Amino acid sequence: MSTDAQGRALSVLNRVAQADWPDRFKLRKPFEKLLYTGSRAGFQMVAERSGKAAKTPRKADPDALFDLSLSDEQQMIREMLQGFALEVLRPAAHDADARGAIPADLLNQALELGLAHYGVGEVHGGMAGERTTVSNALIAEALGQGDMSLAASLLVPLSAANCIRRWASPEQQARWLPAFVSEERPPLVAIAVSEPGVLADPHRLATKARRKGKHYQLTGEKCLVLEGLNASQLIVAAEAENGPALFLVEGGAKGLERQAEPAMGLKACSTARVLLKGVKVPTENRLAAADFDYPRFLDFTTLAWCALALGTGQAALDYVVTYCNERVAFGEPISHRQGVAFMVSDIAIELDAMRMMVWRACARAERGEPFQREAYLARLLCAEKAMKIGTDAVQLLGGHGFTKEHPAERWYRDLRAVAIMAGGLHL
């Protein structure tokens, strides 16, 4: 981490430490611990790199067993965001779902966390380091424990920064990424991949990009775009002359139309239908990384949704365990009944299997190893088991599961998005 990046990291942590809401939600101690450890580790790295005998980073052993242990920093970030999710997101989720939008005060509190910094590399003043993919998955999982829809909305700037850092050219990164780590609010850049239509396949895009001189003309339709109504820019996936490509499109471009598209779940995400009618995009706005790999891009979006499913599934498990232990029927807690206990146990087993698959795919991705197989298997497992977890949570709550008095019905609706969403998020 450079001294400049270290300074920016400390600025983010200090901004959180000086806010008043951590005191209201009893999150002061985790923040102070993260601030202290982040400062100590950062200055230690700067000192090591400035010395004559700077250490060479240890490379991962390809023959080593898969290691699920987290670093101290990752564990603290996870605990901090879990506290934020449970104390801040969870209480706000019901009203956000009813209004179909994220509350402004909650958005301001979340901005103090500086999540977008984890998607920007150190060279541009961010905090994205060697273990970026796993760390981002932990962030998504932790926030998902509060509410899947709110978490997805808050992760949109981080996802856009990840996408630009990974798939844009060095010149484009230098032009676009600094805005995500400035003192101002980071730009809201939505990622538009999903398309309407029967059996729509994100690998076979119906949206077309035709090269005409110094511009591309984009024509097509996108659906279920997270924060699509509020985004100032969009990263649009379209079929170009030499295959699928990504384009950064201004929100006010001529020929771009956006319509509200409320869905069964993810209501707080302000999902939108985006129409592109000959939208002109400068050629320099095509993301132009030398190693651009569209299937790999989709795999990273897959892992983002899987990580969110882990967090929401864990929330459902924690909730039904408490409910079943406290709910008394015929003179004893319903958790004493085998039919209930076995169903709760199945949720726990399925969650552990999902977590193993997702973390394994993320670990391979950040080591630069092929992970398409692992991401595909993680998606299959999470798409099936996430819906089952949502269904079982509603079932375990009985009639209460059908009402909005409890969050199980909202989790049930949100978890079904894992099987159908493409794009929107990016680890």
Side-chain angles (χ1 to χ4, degrees), residues 255-291:
L256 179 68
E257 298 179 10
R258 293 183 276 186
Q259 306 168 356
E261 189 177 34
M264 173 183 177
L266 302 178
K267 290 187 176 295
C269 292
S270 300
T271 49
R273 179 72 63 94
V274 177
L275 306 177
L276 301 118
K277 301 178 179 180
V279 177
K280 287 187 176 182
V281 180
T283 55
E284 59 267 24
N285 277 22
R286 175 177 175 172
L287 274 63
D291 58 348

PDB file of all heavy atoms in Angstrom, residues 255-291:
ATOM      1  N   GLY A 255     -31.375   9.092 -26.874  1.00  0.00           N
ATOM      2  CA  GLY A 255     -31.800   7.757 -27.275  1.00  0.00           C
ATOM      3  C   GLY A 255     -31.838   6.761 -26.134  1.00  0.00           C
ATOM      4  O   GLY A 255     -32.265   5.621 -26.326  1.00  0.00           O
ATOM      5  N   LEU A 256     -31.416   7.187 -24.936  1.00  0.00           N
ATOM      6  CA  LEU A 256     -31.451   6.316 -23.757  1.00  0.00           C
ATOM      7  C   LEU A 256     -32.705   6.609 -22.954  1.00  0.00           C
ATOM      8  O   LEU A 256     -32.937   7.739 -22.540  1.00  0.00           O
ATOM      9  CB  LEU A 256     -30.203   6.533 -22.898  1.00  0.00           C
ATOM     10  CG  LEU A 256     -30.097   5.701 -21.614  1.00  0.00           C
ATOM     11  CD1 LEU A 256     -29.898   4.230 -21.952  1.00  0.00           C
ATOM     12  CD2 LEU A 256     -28.954   6.192 -20.745  1.00  0.00           C
ATOM     13  N   GLU A 257     -33.507   5.600 -22.748  1.00  0.00           N
ATOM     14  CA  GLU A 257     -34.744   5.745 -21.984  1.00  0.00           C
ATOM     15  C   GLU A 257     -34.729   4.769 -20.810  1.00  0.00           C
ATOM     16  O   GLU A 257     -34.282   3.635 -20.945  1.00  0.00           O
ATOM     17  CB  GLU A 257     -35.973   5.485 -22.859  1.00  0.00           C
ATOM     18  CG  GLU A 257     -36.117   6.462 -24.022  1.00  0.00           C
ATOM     19  CD  GLU A 257     -37.338   6.157 -24.864  1.00  0.00           C
ATOM     20  OE1 GLU A 257     -38.165   5.306 -24.425  1.00  0.00           O
ATOM     21  OE2 GLU A 257     -37.475   6.750 -25.953  1.00  0.00           O
ATOM     22  N   ARG A 258     -35.230   5.240 -19.672  1.00  0.00           N
ATOM     23  CA  ARG A 258     -35.285   4.399 -18.478  1.00  0.00           C
ATOM     24  C   ARG A 258     -36.687   4.397 -17.898  1.00  0.00           C
ATOM     25  O   ARG A 258     -37.312   5.444 -17.793  1.00  0.00           O
ATOM     26  CB  ARG A 258     -34.271   4.890 -17.435  1.00  0.00           C
ATOM     27  CG  ARG A 258     -32.846   4.707 -17.881  1.00  0.00           C
ATOM     28  CD  ARG A 258     -31.853   5.138 -16.807  1.00  0.00           C
ATOM     29  NE  ARG A 258     -31.604   6.577 -16.827  1.00  0.00           N
ATOM     30  CZ  ARG A 258     -30.690   7.181 -16.074  1.00  0.00           C
ATOM     31  NH1 ARG A 258     -29.956   6.466 -15.227  1.00  0.00           N
ATOM     32  NH2 ARG A 258     -30.508   8.477 -16.154  1.00  0.00           N
ATOM     33  N   GLN A 259     -37.147   3.214 -17.541  1.00  0.00           N
ATOM     34  CA  GLN A 259     -38.480   3.070 -16.977  1.00  0.00           C
ATOM     35  C   GLN A 259     -38.396   2.242 -15.699  1.00  0.00           C
ATOM     36  O   GLN A 259     -37.595   1.308 -15.604  1.00  0.00           O
ATOM     37  CB  GLN A 259     -39.419   2.364 -17.968  1.00  0.00           C
ATOM     38  CG  GLN A 259     -39.497   3.008 -19.334  1.00  0.00           C
ATOM     39  CD  GLN A 259     -40.202   2.133 -20.343  1.00  0.00           C
ATOM     40  OE1 GLN A 259     -40.576   0.993 -20.039  1.00  0.00           O
ATOM     41  NE2 GLN A 259     -40.384   2.657 -21.551  1.00  0.00           N
ATOM     42  N   ALA A 260     -39.219   2.596 -14.722  1.00  0.00           N
ATOM     43  CA  ALA A 260     -39.282   1.809 -13.488  1.00  0.00           C
ATOM     44  C   ALA A 260     -39.758   0.390 -13.817  1.00  0.00           C
ATOM     45  O   ALA A 260     -40.673   0.213 -14.631  1.00  0.00           O
ATOM     46  CB  ALA A 260     -40.214   2.474 -12.486  1.00  0.00           C
ATOM     47  N   GLU A 261     -39.140  -0.586 -13.198  1.00  0.00           N
ATOM     48  CA  GLU A 261     -39.500  -1.985 -13.434  1.00  0.00           C
ATOM     49  C   GLU A 261     -39.551  -2.723 -12.089  1.00  0.00           C
ATOM     50  O   GLU A 261     -38.658  -3.500 -11.750  1.00  0.00           O
ATOM     51  CB  GLU A 261     -38.493  -2.647 -14.372  1.00  0.00           C
ATOM     52  CG  GLU A 261     -38.922  -4.029 -14.829  1.00  0.00           C
ATOM     53  CD  GLU A 261     -37.938  -4.636 -15.812  1.00  0.00           C
ATOM     54  OE1 GLU A 261     -36.723  -4.372 -15.681  1.00  0.00           O
ATOM     55  OE2 GLU A 261     -38.368  -5.380 -16.706  1.00  0.00           O
ATOM     56  N   PRO A 262     -40.598  -2.463 -11.293  1.00  0.00           N
ATOM     57  CA  PRO A 262     -40.709  -3.142 -10.002  1.00  0.00           C
ATOM     58  C   PRO A 262     -40.771  -4.653 -10.194  1.00  0.00           C
ATOM     59  O   PRO A 262     -41.425  -5.158 -11.109  1.00  0.00           O
ATOM     60  CB  PRO A 262     -42.020  -2.592  -9.422  1.00  0.00           C
ATOM     61  CG  PRO A 262     -42.291  -1.336 -10.184  1.00  0.00           C
ATOM     62  CD  PRO A 262     -41.726  -1.560 -11.555  1.00  0.00           C
ATOM     63  N   ALA A 263     -40.096  -5.357  -9.319  1.00  0.00           N
ATOM     64  CA  ALA A 263     -40.019  -6.809  -9.428  1.00  0.00           C
ATOM     65  C   ALA A 263     -40.600  -7.458  -8.181  1.00  0.00           C
ATOM     66  O   ALA A 263     -40.992  -6.785  -7.217  1.00  0.00           O
ATOM     67  CB  ALA A 263     -38.576  -7.241  -9.636  1.00  0.00           C
ATOM     68  N   MET A 264     -40.622  -8.773  -8.169  1.00  0.00           N
ATOM     69  CA  MET A 264     -41.121  -9.528  -7.024  1.00  0.00           C
ATOM     70  C   MET A 264     -40.286  -9.253  -5.778  1.00  0.00           C
ATOM     71  O   MET A 264     -40.808  -9.082  -4.680  1.00  0.00           O
ATOM     72  CB  MET A 264     -41.085 -11.021  -7.366  1.00  0.00           C
ATOM     73  CG  MET A 264     -41.420 -11.949  -6.223  1.00  0.00           C
ATOM     74  SD  MET A 264     -41.263 -13.667  -6.746  1.00  0.00           S
ATOM     75  CE  MET A 264     -41.619 -14.516  -5.208  1.00  0.00           C
ATOM     76  N   GLY A 265     -38.975  -9.188  -5.955  1.00  0.00           N
ATOM     77  CA  GLY A 265     -38.058  -8.902  -4.869  1.00  0.00           C
ATOM     78  C   GLY A 265     -37.129  -7.765  -5.241  1.00  0.00           C
ATOM     79  O   GLY A 265     -37.310  -7.093  -6.261  1.00  0.00           O
ATOM     80  N   LEU A 266     -36.121  -7.542  -4.410  1.00  0.00           N
ATOM     81  CA  LEU A 266     -35.143  -6.476  -4.636  1.00  0.00           C
ATOM     82  C   LEU A 266     -35.824  -5.127  -4.847  1.00  0.00           C
ATOM     83  O   LEU A 266     -35.396  -4.320  -5.671  1.00  0.00           O
ATOM     84  CB  LEU A 266     -34.257  -6.805  -5.845  1.00  0.00           C
ATOM     85  CG  LEU A 266     -33.462  -8.107  -5.790  1.00  0.00           C
ATOM     86  CD1 LEU A 266     -32.678  -8.309  -7.089  1.00  0.00           C
ATOM     87  CD2 LEU A 266     -32.521  -8.143  -4.595  1.00  0.00           C
ATOM     88  N   LYS A 267     -36.872  -4.880  -4.094  1.00  0.00           N
ATOM     89  CA  LYS A 267     -37.676  -3.682  -4.323  1.00  0.00           C
ATOM     90  C   LYS A 267     -36.935  -2.394  -3.986  1.00  0.00           C
ATOM     91  O   LYS A 267     -37.179  -1.350  -4.575  1.00  0.00           O
ATOM     92  CB  LYS A 267     -38.978  -3.782  -3.540  1.00  0.00           C
ATOM     93  CG  LYS A 267     -39.935  -4.830  -4.094  1.00  0.00           C
ATOM     94  CD  LYS A 267     -41.267  -4.782  -3.388  1.00  0.00           C
ATOM     95  CE  LYS A 267     -42.248  -5.761  -4.027  1.00  0.00           C
ATOM     96  NZ  LYS A 267     -42.585  -5.397  -5.408  1.00  0.00           N
ATOM     97  N   ALA A 268     -36.013  -2.447  -3.009  1.00  0.00           N
ATOM     98  CA  ALA A 268     -35.289  -1.238  -2.631  1.00  0.00           C
ATOM     99  C   ALA A 268     -34.210  -0.873  -3.637  1.00  0.00           C
ATOM    100  O   ALA A 268     -33.583   0.184  -3.498  1.00  0.00           O
ATOM    101  CB  ALA A 268     -34.665  -1.417  -1.246  1.00  0.00           C
ATOM    102  N   CYS A 269     -33.992  -1.708  -4.639  1.00  0.00           N
ATOM    103  CA  CYS A 269     -32.906  -1.487  -5.601  1.00  0.00           C
ATOM    104  C   CYS A 269     -33.292  -0.572  -6.747  1.00  0.00           C
ATOM    105  O   CYS A 269     -32.464  -0.306  -7.631  1.00  0.00           O
ATOM    106  CB  CYS A 269     -32.433  -2.815  -6.184  1.00  0.00           C
ATOM    107  SG  CYS A 269     -31.605  -3.891  -5.002  1.00  0.00           S
ATOM    108  N   SER A 270     -34.532  -0.097  -6.793  1.00  0.00           N
ATOM    109  CA  SER A 270     -34.985   0.770  -7.887  1.00  0.00           C
ATOM    110  C   SER A 270     -34.648   0.154  -9.248  1.00  0.00           C
ATOM    111  O   SER A 270     -34.040   0.794 -10.118  1.00  0.00           O
ATOM    112  CB  SER A 270     -34.361   2.161  -7.765  1.00  0.00           C
ATOM    113  OG  SER A 270     -34.718   2.779  -6.563  1.00  0.00           O
ATOM    114  N   THR A 271     -35.033  -1.100  -9.445  1.00  0.00           N
ATOM    115  CA  THR A 271     -34.746  -1.787 -10.707  1.00  0.00           C
ATOM    116  C   THR A 271     -35.445  -1.083 -11.865  1.00  0.00           C
ATOM    117  O   THR A 271     -36.557  -0.572 -11.734  1.00  0.00           O
ATOM    118  CB  THR A 271     -35.200  -3.254 -10.642  1.00  0.00           C
ATOM    119  OG1 THR A 271     -36.551  -3.319 -10.154  1.00  0.00           O
ATOM    120  CG2 THR A 271     -34.299  -4.046  -9.714  1.00  0.00           C
ATOM    121  N   ALA A 272     -34.770  -1.069 -13.023  1.00  0.00           N
ATOM    122  CA  ALA A 272     -35.271  -0.307 -14.165  1.00  0.00           C
ATOM    123  C   ALA A 272     -35.132  -1.096 -15.454  1.00  0.00           C
ATOM    124  O   ALA A 272     -34.265  -1.974 -15.586  1.00  0.00           O
ATOM    125  CB  ALA A 272     -34.517   1.015 -14.287  1.00  0.00           C
ATOM    126  N   ARG A 273     -36.000  -0.775 -16.397  1.00  0.00           N
ATOM    127  CA  ARG A 273     -35.884  -1.242 -17.785  1.00  0.00           C
ATOM    128  C   ARG A 273     -35.185  -0.127 -18.569  1.00  0.00           C
ATOM    129  O   ARG A 273     -35.590   1.036 -18.486  1.00  0.00           O
ATOM    130  CB  ARG A 273     -37.265  -1.525 -18.367  1.00  0.00           C
ATOM    131  CG  ARG A 273     -37.303  -1.996 -19.821  1.00  0.00           C
ATOM    132  CD  ARG A 273     -36.790  -3.410 -19.960  1.00  0.00           C
ATOM    133  NE  ARG A 273     -37.609  -4.373 -19.262  1.00  0.00           N
ATOM    134  CZ  ARG A 273     -38.615  -5.073 -19.809  1.00  0.00           C
ATOM    135  NH1 ARG A 273     -38.905  -4.896 -21.088  1.00  0.00           N
ATOM    136  NH2 ARG A 273     -39.291  -5.945 -19.097  1.00  0.00           N
ATOM    137  N   VAL A 274     -34.137  -0.471 -19.297  1.00  0.00           N
ATOM    138  CA  VAL A 274     -33.342   0.514 -20.033  1.00  0.00           C
ATOM    139  C   VAL A 274     -33.476   0.237 -21.527  1.00  0.00           C
ATOM    140  O   VAL A 274     -33.185  -0.881 -21.990  1.00  0.00           O
ATOM    141  CB  VAL A 274     -31.859   0.472 -19.616  1.00  0.00           C
ATOM    142  CG1 VAL A 274     -31.045   1.450 -20.453  1.00  0.00           C
ATOM    143  CG2 VAL A 274     -31.712   0.795 -18.134  1.00  0.00           C
ATOM    144  N   LEU A 275     -33.905   1.237 -22.261  1.00  0.00           N
ATOM    145  CA  LEU A 275     -34.052   1.129 -23.710  1.00  0.00           C
ATOM    146  C   LEU A 275     -32.951   1.933 -24.379  1.00  0.00           C
ATOM    147  O   LEU A 275     -32.720   3.104 -24.040  1.00  0.00           O
ATOM    148  CB  LEU A 275     -35.418   1.658 -24.143  1.00  0.00           C
ATOM    149  CG  LEU A 275     -36.649   1.046 -23.456  1.00  0.00           C
ATOM    150  CD1 LEU A 275     -37.920   1.725 -23.939  1.00  0.00           C
ATOM    151  CD2 LEU A 275     -36.714  -0.450 -23.707  1.00  0.00           C
ATOM    152  N   LEU A 276     -32.265   1.312 -25.332  1.00  0.00           N
ATOM    153  CA  LEU A 276     -31.204   1.987 -26.074  1.00  0.00           C
ATOM    154  C   LEU A 276     -31.609   2.046 -27.539  1.00  0.00           C
ATOM    155  O   LEU A 276     -31.703   1.021 -28.221  1.00  0.00           O
ATOM    156  CB  LEU A 276     -29.877   1.234 -25.916  1.00  0.00           C
ATOM    157  CG  LEU A 276     -29.391   1.087 -24.467  1.00  0.00           C
ATOM    158  CD1 LEU A 276     -29.306  -0.391 -24.099  1.00  0.00           C
ATOM    159  CD2 LEU A 276     -28.045   1.738 -24.272  1.00  0.00           C
ATOM    160  N   LYS A 277     -31.858   3.264 -28.001  1.00  0.00           N
ATOM    161  CA  LYS A 277     -32.319   3.460 -29.370  1.00  0.00           C
ATOM    162  C   LYS A 277     -31.286   4.252 -30.148  1.00  0.00           C
ATOM    163  O   LYS A 277     -31.345   5.476 -30.252  1.00  0.00           O
ATOM    164  CB  LYS A 277     -33.667   4.193 -29.366  1.00  0.00           C
ATOM    165  CG  LYS A 277     -34.760   3.459 -28.601  1.00  0.00           C
ATOM    166  CD  LYS A 277     -36.063   4.245 -28.586  1.00  0.00           C
ATOM    167  CE  LYS A 277     -37.169   3.501 -27.851  1.00  0.00           C
ATOM    168  NZ  LYS A 277     -38.433   4.276 -27.831  1.00  0.00           N
ATOM    169  N   GLY A 278     -30.294   3.541 -30.658  1.00  0.00           N
ATOM    170  CA  GLY A 278     -29.239   4.201 -31.414  1.00  0.00           C
ATOM    171  C   GLY A 278     -28.411   5.148 -30.573  1.00  0.00           C
ATOM    172  O   GLY A 278     -28.028   6.227 -31.054  1.00  0.00           O
ATOM    173  N   VAL A 279     -28.128   4.784 -29.345  1.00  0.00           N
ATOM    174  CA  VAL A 279     -27.368   5.657 -28.436  1.00  0.00           C
ATOM    175  C   VAL A 279     -25.919   5.744 -28.909  1.00  0.00           C
ATOM    176  O   VAL A 279     -25.253   4.726 -29.097  1.00  0.00           O
ATOM    177  CB  VAL A 279     -27.426   5.125 -26.992  1.00  0.00           C
ATOM    178  CG1 VAL A 279     -26.567   5.989 -26.071  1.00  0.00           C
ATOM    179  CG2 VAL A 279     -28.867   5.084 -26.504  1.00  0.00           C
ATOM    180  N   LYS A 280     -25.425   6.964 -29.103  1.00  0.00           N
ATOM    181  CA  LYS A 280     -24.043   7.159 -29.537  1.00  0.00           C
ATOM    182  C   LYS A 280     -23.098   7.133 -28.343  1.00  0.00           C
ATOM    183  O   LYS A 280     -23.302   7.848 -27.364  1.00  0.00           O
ATOM    184  CB  LYS A 280     -23.896   8.482 -30.289  1.00  0.00           C
ATOM    185  CG  LYS A 280     -24.493   8.477 -31.688  1.00  0.00           C
ATOM    186  CD  LYS A 280     -24.152   9.771 -32.419  1.00  0.00           C
ATOM    187  CE  LYS A 280     -24.656   9.751 -33.856  1.00  0.00           C
ATOM    188  NZ  LYS A 280     -24.293  10.998 -34.582  1.00  0.00           N
ATOM    189  N   VAL A 281     -22.058   6.286 -28.446  1.00  0.00           N
ATOM    190  CA  VAL A 281     -21.064   6.158 -27.383  1.00  0.00           C
ATOM    191  C   VAL A 281     -19.684   6.337 -28.015  1.00  0.00           C
ATOM    192  O   VAL A 281     -19.350   5.631 -28.975  1.00  0.00           O
ATOM    193  CB  VAL A 281     -21.157   4.785 -26.703  1.00  0.00           C
ATOM    194  CG1 VAL A 281     -20.120   4.671 -25.589  1.00  0.00           C
ATOM    195  CG2 VAL A 281     -22.555   4.555 -26.146  1.00  0.00           C
ATOM    196  N   PRO A 282     -18.861   7.261 -27.546  1.00  0.00           N
ATOM    197  CA  PRO A 282     -17.513   7.428 -28.107  1.00  0.00           C
ATOM    198  C   PRO A 282     -16.720   6.129 -28.016  1.00  0.00           C
ATOM    199  O   PRO A 282     -16.878   5.356 -27.069  1.00  0.00           O
ATOM    200  CB  PRO A 282     -16.896   8.524 -27.223  1.00  0.00           C
ATOM    201  CG  PRO A 282     -18.057   9.252 -26.640  1.00  0.00           C
ATOM    202  CD  PRO A 282     -19.137   8.231 -26.455  1.00  0.00           C
ATOM    203  N   THR A 283     -15.873   5.894 -28.991  1.00  0.00           N
ATOM    204  CA  THR A 283     -15.078   4.661 -29.000  1.00  0.00           C
ATOM    205  C   THR A 283     -14.199   4.549 -27.764  1.00  0.00           C
ATOM    206  O   THR A 283     -13.931   3.435 -27.289  1.00  0.00           O
ATOM    207  CB  THR A 283     -14.203   4.588 -30.257  1.00  0.00           C
ATOM    208  OG1 THR A 283     -13.399   5.791 -30.340  1.00  0.00           O
ATOM    209  CG2 THR A 283     -15.049   4.472 -31.509  1.00  0.00           C
ATOM    210  N   GLU A 284     -13.763   5.685 -27.210  1.00  0.00           N
ATOM    211  CA  GLU A 284     -12.910   5.630 -26.028  1.00  0.00           C
ATOM    212  C   GLU A 284     -13.689   5.240 -24.771  1.00  0.00           C
ATOM    213  O   GLU A 284     -13.090   5.022 -23.707  1.00  0.00           O
ATOM    214  CB  GLU A 284     -12.214   6.971 -25.793  1.00  0.00           C
ATOM    215  CG  GLU A 284     -13.130   8.147 -25.604  1.00  0.00           C
ATOM    216  CD  GLU A 284     -13.398   8.884 -26.908  1.00  0.00           C
ATOM    217  OE1 GLU A 284     -13.261   8.261 -27.978  1.00  0.00           O
ATOM    218  OE2 GLU A 284     -13.739  10.087 -26.843  1.00  0.00           O
ATOM    219  N   ASN A 285     -15.017   5.118 -24.874  1.00  0.00           N
ATOM    220  CA  ASN A 285     -15.818   4.674 -23.739  1.00  0.00           C
ATOM    221  C   ASN A 285     -16.091   3.180 -23.765  1.00  0.00           C
ATOM    222  O   ASN A 285     -16.845   2.670 -22.936  1.00  0.00           O
ATOM    223  CB  ASN A 285     -17.147   5.426 -23.689  1.00  0.00           C
ATOM    224  CG  ASN A 285     -17.005   6.775 -23.018  1.00  0.00           C
ATOM    225  OD1 ASN A 285     -15.915   7.333 -22.940  1.00  0.00           O
ATOM    226  ND2 ASN A 285     -18.101   7.313 -22.521  1.00  0.00           N
ATOM    227  N   ARG A 286     -15.491   2.486 -24.713  1.00  0.00           N
ATOM    228  CA  ARG A 286     -15.549   1.029 -24.683  1.00  0.00           C
ATOM    229  C   ARG A 286     -14.438   0.533 -23.763  1.00  0.00           C
ATOM    230  O   ARG A 286     -13.264   0.855 -23.962  1.00  0.00           O
ATOM    231  CB  ARG A 286     -15.374   0.446 -26.089  1.00  0.00           C
ATOM    232  CG  ARG A 286     -15.299  -1.076 -26.097  1.00  0.00           C
ATOM    233  CD  ARG A 286     -15.205  -1.641 -27.495  1.00  0.00           C
ATOM    234  NE  ARG A 286     -15.023  -3.093 -27.459  1.00  0.00           N
ATOM    235  CZ  ARG A 286     -15.059  -3.891 -28.533  1.00  0.00           C
ATOM    236  NH1 ARG A 286     -15.276  -3.369 -29.739  1.00  0.00           N
ATOM    237  NH2 ARG A 286     -14.891  -5.190 -28.399  1.00  0.00           N
ATOM    238  N   LEU A 287     -14.781  -0.239 -22.754  1.00  0.00           N
ATOM    239  CA  LEU A 287     -13.789  -0.739 -21.815  1.00  0.00           C
ATOM    240  C   LEU A 287     -12.792  -1.607 -22.566  1.00  0.00           C
ATOM    241  O   LEU A 287     -13.179  -2.575 -23.235  1.00  0.00           O
ATOM    242  CB  LEU A 287     -14.441  -1.516 -20.674  1.00  0.00           C
ATOM    243  CG  LEU A 287     -14.927  -0.659 -19.484  1.00  0.00           C
ATOM    244  CD1 LEU A 287     -16.027   0.313 -19.904  1.00  0.00           C
ATOM    245  CD2 LEU A 287     -15.409  -1.524 -18.338  1.00  0.00           C
ATOM    246  N   ALA A 288     -11.517  -1.245 -22.451  1.00  0.00           N
ATOM    247  CA  ALA A 288     -10.525  -1.782 -23.392  1.00  0.00           C
ATOM    248  C   ALA A 288      -9.337  -2.424 -22.702  1.00  0.00           C
ATOM    249  O   ALA A 288      -8.189  -2.215 -23.090  1.00  0.00           O
ATOM    250  CB  ALA A 288     -10.045  -0.660 -24.320  1.00  0.00           C
ATOM    251  N   ALA A 289      -9.561  -3.222 -21.684  1.00  0.00           N
ATOM    252  CA  ALA A 289      -8.461  -3.962 -21.073  1.00  0.00           C
ATOM    253  C   ALA A 289      -7.895  -4.945 -22.080  1.00  0.00           C
ATOM    254  O   ALA A 289      -8.632  -5.565 -22.861  1.00  0.00           O
ATOM    255  CB  ALA A 289      -8.942  -4.705 -19.836  1.00  0.00           C
ATOM    256  N   ALA A 290      -6.576  -5.096 -22.081  1.00  0.00           N
ATOM    257  CA  ALA A 290      -5.925  -5.983 -23.051  1.00  0.00           C
ATOM    258  C   ALA A 290      -6.360  -7.429 -22.871  1.00  0.00           C
ATOM    259  O   ALA A 290      -6.417  -8.198 -23.837  1.00  0.00           O
ATOM    260  CB  ALA A 290      -4.405  -5.868 -22.917  1.00  0.00           C
ATOM    261  N   ASP A 291      -6.695  -7.820 -21.633  1.00  0.00           N
ATOM    262  CA  ASP A 291      -7.080  -9.204 -21.352  1.00  0.00           C
ATOM    263  C   ASP A 291      -8.578  -9.327 -21.084  1.00  0.00           C
ATOM    264  O   ASP A 291      -8.997 -10.196 -20.314  1.00  0.00           O
ATOM    265  CB  ASP A 291      -6.293  -9.736 -20.155  1.00  0.00           C
ATOM    266  CG  ASP A 291      -6.494  -8.891 -18.903  1.00  0.00           C
ATOM    267  OD1 ASP A 291      -7.045  -7.779 -19.024  1.00  0.00           O
ATOM    268  OD2 ASP A 291      -6.112  -9.353 -17.811  1.00  0.00           O
TER     269      ASP A 291
END
